[in-house]
Amino acid sequence: MTDKVYNVLILCTGNSARSILGEALINHLGQGRFKGYSAGSQPTGKVNPYALKTLEKHGIDSSGYRSKSWDEFGAPDAPQMDFVFTVCGSAAGETCPLWPGHPMRAHWGVDDPAGVGSNDEEAMAAFAKAFMILKRRVELFMSLPVDKLDALALKQQLAEIGQQ
């Protein structure tokens, strides 16, 4: 068993909803083995309040999350990522920065819950759905023996998780 902590960056365009949920889930479920981060190609500058309510509803600390640019993670003093997952179609199609260390990448698209619904109940339902999809994927990811799989097998497993 390795003591390595794997750094995981979750990307979306706005970094206000799905990527925040993914970052929080990785940190909550990672048990010190995984450290989650999130960023956006065009960050909104604020976290969607429904994302924070969803985290709180599931007993996950919602403090300290912020919407930030992916440029922060390309800086020389940024933590080196082992994995980068995109959770929205537009971020997956954009030309991403070159990440130091060349992390393993996969697309885990999730429908955007932001702006869904005309009331709190409908909005919370959309966020609950996104949360459950991401939670399942994070759990599957964390069950992989990442230190034992070769790069090709790991890449295939990560792609399959994105289809779950």
Side-chain angles (χ1 to χ4, degrees), residues 94-164:
E94 291 177 309
T95 302
C96 291
L98 291 176
W99 307 109
H102 305 288
M104 183 82 51
R105 293 181 53 183
H107 178 61
W108 288 0
V110 177
D111 290 339
D112 190 1
V116 171
S118 58
N119 58 47
D120 282 350
E121 186 177 312
E122 291 174 353
M124 284 302 292
F127 273 84
K129 180 179 177 185
F131 177 89
M132 293 312 293
I133 291 168
L134 287 166
K135 182 176 184 275
R136 175 76 177 137
R137 291 177 180 170
V138 168
E139 289 170 341
L140 288 169
F141 167 59
M142 291 183 179
S143 73
L144 294 174
V146 295
D147 56 333
K148 294 182 176 34
L149 292 172
D150 66 50
L152 188 59
L154 183 55
K155 188 166 184 65
Q156 181 179 345
Q157 290 290 316
L158 296 174
E160 288 176 12
I161 289 171
Q163 302 302 312
Q164 302 282 328

Side-chain angles (χ1 to χ4, degrees), residues 14-84:
N15 188 219
S16 69
R18 293 167 285 184
S19 53
I20 297 290
L21 294 175
E23 175 186 8
L25 280 162
I26 288 166
N27 287 328
H28 182 73
L29 299 172
Q31 301 175 340
R33 189 171 157 232
F34 296 91
K35 172 72 177 136
Y37 300 89
S38 69
S41 58
Q42 300 170 28
T44 63
K46 62 183 180 183
V47 176
N48 188 300
Y50 289 111
L52 299 176
K53 287 180 188 177
T54 299
L55 294 174
E56 291 164 5
K57 181 180 177 184
H58 291 278
I60 299 173
D61 182 15
S62 66
S63 62
Y65 292 103
R66 64 184 179 88
S67 176
K68 57 207 158 297
S69 173
W70 64 14
D71 293 339
E72 286 187 29
F73 296 96
D77 61 341
Q80 186 169 311
M81 295 300 135
D82 298 293
F83 299 94
V84 175

